């Protein structure tokens, strides 16, 4: 029930003075006491104190979050140090602890564990468990920055058992051949000397500049060939853009260009070991893009494998994984970088 002013027994005690027709106003207090300005000032200081307390709470919360980030980074460094020292099982155990303590880092933990479980020098490597880690990452973290590298690892690991069986069979055959040639060491040494002499001649020939006057790339055959004075010097298996059929038309279409270009620059500190820049787009590419009303894109390279994954080697060419570039192994890009000078013609065929 609403109370009226007159319901209070002593208006003077409440500091309220009634007026006509039910109106009321604040009446000054009786006797000595703090002034209204002093009360207002005191009230203002209370608001400031409450505000400062709120700011401190936010800062403390922020510091705690920052501390968690520092601890996570420290834990990752510890796990990586164990891996570097060859303590692979201890490193895996540390990553499991990180996953339990910091669930938000799950995609990175799964990727690192998958890598360790498939690492060639790990005597207890387990390709099956490694595949489980990468597949779980793809399933549970579809937007992860580790997704593309995980897909590459899955392709590689899917072929490892077959390759290891093939290697074992080849090693058995090699051992059988060694037994057959036993007792012919002198003849083998003579042949090795001849091979060495021929290799020196080939290197001396290759190092005469300019050596390569044409880089021929055949997309359908997945082949890059170095041509010197009309003769084939060497060929390499390649990987192309993820959408390899047809010429590149616009930025982001993951297509490898088709046409005639030149090597116009190189980067020996590339994120993909080394790289040679191709002069895409040419005038025909630019005209086609204008007609389509799109940007033709650019930054097309011949490059190696992403830093840290060079050990994948020839297996990288089992899938087209670039964004339009032409990829070879790290050893091959070093050789190409040595043999192909800037200004060399590049012909890319369908």
């Amino acid at each position: 029930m609403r109370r009226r002013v007159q319901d209070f027994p002593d208006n003077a005690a409440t500091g309220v003075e009634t007026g006509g027709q039910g109106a009321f106003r604040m009446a000054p207090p009786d006797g000595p006491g703090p002034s209204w300005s002093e009360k207002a000032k005191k009230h203002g200081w209370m608001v400031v104190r409450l505000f400062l307390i709120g700011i401190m709470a936010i800062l403390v919360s922020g510091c705690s979050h920052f501390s968690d980030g520092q601890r996570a980074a420290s834990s990752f460094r510890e796990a990586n140090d164990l891996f570097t020292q060859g303590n692979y099982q201890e490193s895996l155990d540390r990553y499991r602890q990180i996953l339990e303590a910091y669930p938000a880092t799950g995609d990175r933990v799964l990727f690192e564990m998958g890598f360790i479980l498939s690492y060639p020098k790990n005597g207890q490597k387990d390709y099956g468990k490694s595949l489980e880690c990468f597949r779980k990452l793809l399933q549970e973290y579809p937007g992860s920055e580790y997704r593309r590298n995980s897909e590459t690892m899955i392709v590689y690991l899917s072929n490892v058992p077959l390759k290891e069986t093939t290697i074992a069979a080849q090693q058995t055959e090699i051992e059988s051949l060694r037994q057959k040639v036993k007792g012919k060491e002198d003849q083998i040494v003579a042949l090795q000397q001849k091979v060495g002499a021929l290799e020196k001649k080939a290197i001396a020939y290759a190092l005469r500049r300019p050596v390569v006057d044409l880089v021929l790339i055949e997309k359908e055959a997945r082949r890059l060939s170095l041509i010197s004075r009309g003769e084939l010097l060497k060929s390499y298996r390649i990987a192309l853009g993820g959408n390899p059929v047809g010429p590149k038309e616009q930025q982001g279409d993951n297509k490898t260009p088709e046409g005639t270009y030149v090597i116009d620059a190189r980067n020996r500190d590339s994120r993909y070991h080394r790289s040679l820049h191709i002069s895409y787009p040419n005038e025909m590419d630019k005209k086609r893009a204008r007609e389509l009303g799109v940007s033709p894109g650019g930054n097309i390279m011949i490059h190696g494998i992403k830093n840290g994954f060079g050990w994948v080697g020839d297996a990288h060419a089992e899938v087209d994984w670039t964004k339009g570039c032409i990829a070879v192994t790290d050893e091959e890009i070093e050789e190409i970088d040595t043999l192909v000078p800037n200004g060399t013609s590049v012909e890319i065929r369908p």
Side-chain angles (χ1 to χ4, degrees):
M1 182 175 67
R2 294 182 60 187
R3 299 193 63 174
R4 297 170 299 171
V5 173
Q6 53 265 38
D7 291 332
F8 290 95
D10 187 357
N11 289 348
T14 64
V16 177
E17 180 179 340
T18 59
Q21 299 182 351
F24 64 91
R25 64 181 183 273
M26 298 300 295
D30 293 332
S35 67
W36 287 106
S37 61
E38 290 174 339
K39 287 184 178 181
K41 186 181 296 183
K42 184 176 181 182
H43 178 72
W45 277 111
M46 289 178 65
V47 172
V48 170
R49 288 180 64 189
L50 289 172
F51 176 75
L52 290 174
I53 290 170
I55 291 294
M56 290 299 294
I58 293 171
L59 290 175
V60 170
S61 173
C63 288
S64 174
H65 177 76
F66 181 68
S67 179
D68 285 346
Q70 283 184 320
R71 285 195 290 269
S74 176
S75 298
F76 273 107
R77 284 195 296 271
E78 291 173 12
N80 186 64
D81 288 343
L82 289 169
F83 167 77
T84 304
Q85 295 161 10
N87 300 321
Y88 305 118
Q89 191 57 48
E90 293 179 29
S91 180
L92 287 170
D93 292 339
R94 190 72 185 98
Y95 278 119
R96 292 188 184 98
Q97 294 170 5
I98 294 172
L99 182 59
E100 185 175 344
Y102 310 104
T105 64
D107 57 340
R108 179 178 174 184
V109 171
L110 287 170
F111 183 81
E112 300 283 4
M113 290 178 65
F115 182 87
I116 295 171
L117 286 166
S118 62
Y119 189 58
K121 294 183 180 180
N122 182 0
Q124 295 180 310
K125 60 181 176 289
D126 188 325
Y127 296 130
K129 290 183 179 179
S130 177
L131 280 170
E132 287 178 10
C133 289
F134 292 123
R135 286 169 177 161
K136 187 175 181 180
L137 191 156
L138 296 184
Q139 181 179 358
E140 297 185 3
Y141 303 91
S144 171
E145 63 179 303
Y146 299 96
R147 180 180 183 85
R148 192 170 188 86
N149 288 335
S150 296
E151 291 172 342
T152 301
M153 289 298 297
I154 288 172
V155 172
Y156 168 71
L157 292 173
S158 299
N159 293 316
V160 165
L162 176 61
K163 289 190 174 183
E164 288 192 342
T165 302
T166 303
I167 290 171
Q170 290 174 341
Q171 288 175 335
T172 302
E173 185 179 356
I174 290 170
E175 186 59 32
S176 175
L177 291 172
R178 282 177 178 167
Q179 294 298 324
K180 289 180 181 179
V181 300
K182 194 174 181 179
K184 298 183 179 180
E185 290 84 356
D186 293 341
Q187 184 179 354
I188 293 172
V189 169
L191 289 172
Q192 288 175 335
Q193 290 174 343
K194 286 184 179 181
V195 169
L198 288 172
E199 286 179 342
K200 287 181 180 179
K201 282 186 178 181
I203 292 172
Y205 174 77
L207 292 177
R208 285 189 315 210
R209 291 184 179 276
V211 175
V212 176
D213 47 41
L214 174 64
V215 177
L216 175 62
I217 297 168
E218 300 165 280
K219 291 172 61 175
E220 186 174 359
R222 300 299 191 276
R223 182 170 59 230
L224 182 153
S225 300
L226 302 183
I227 309 297
S228 176
R229 302 176 182 87
E231 295 184 2
L232 174 66
L233 184 61
K234 192 167 183 178
S235 293
Y236 308 87
R237 287 182 65 213
I238 58 174
L240 301 174
N243 186 17
V245 178
K248 185 172 184 63
E249 296 178 332
Q250 66 182 51
Q251 183 174 357
D253 62 7
N254 288 340
K255 289 188 174 185
T256 300
E258 296 174 6
T260 301
Y261 310 94
V262 297
I263 299 295
D264 59 3
R266 65 192 62 225
N267 182 3
R268 289 174 178 165
D269 190 27
S270 169
R271 292 187 300 119
Y272 293 83
H273 195 56
R274 293 188 185 181
S275 61
L276 277 65
H277 187 267
I278 295 174
S279 61
Y280 173 88
N282 60 23
E283 291 304 317
M284 186 178 296
D285 299 319
K286 293 176 183 177
K287 180 182 178 183
R288 179 169 57 242
R290 280 196 301 270
E291 292 172 351
L292 294 173
V294 297
S295 167
N299 208 27
I300 300 299
M301 309 274 190
I302 302 171
H303 60 63
I305 300 172
K306 188 173 183 180
N307 292 341
F309 291 88
W311 54 270
V312 172
D314 293 336
H316 86 98
E318 299 293 336
V319 61
D320 290 319
W321 56 271
T322 77
K323 293 184 178 181
C325 295
I326 299 94
V328 293
T329 68
D330 288 352
E331 292 79 9
E332 290 168 344
I333 192 61
E334 288 178 3
E335 189 171 61
I336 294 169
D337 180 38
T338 300
L339 298 175
V340 179
N342 287 352
T344 301
S345 297
V346 179
E347 182 180 348
I348 306 179
R349 298 177 182 175

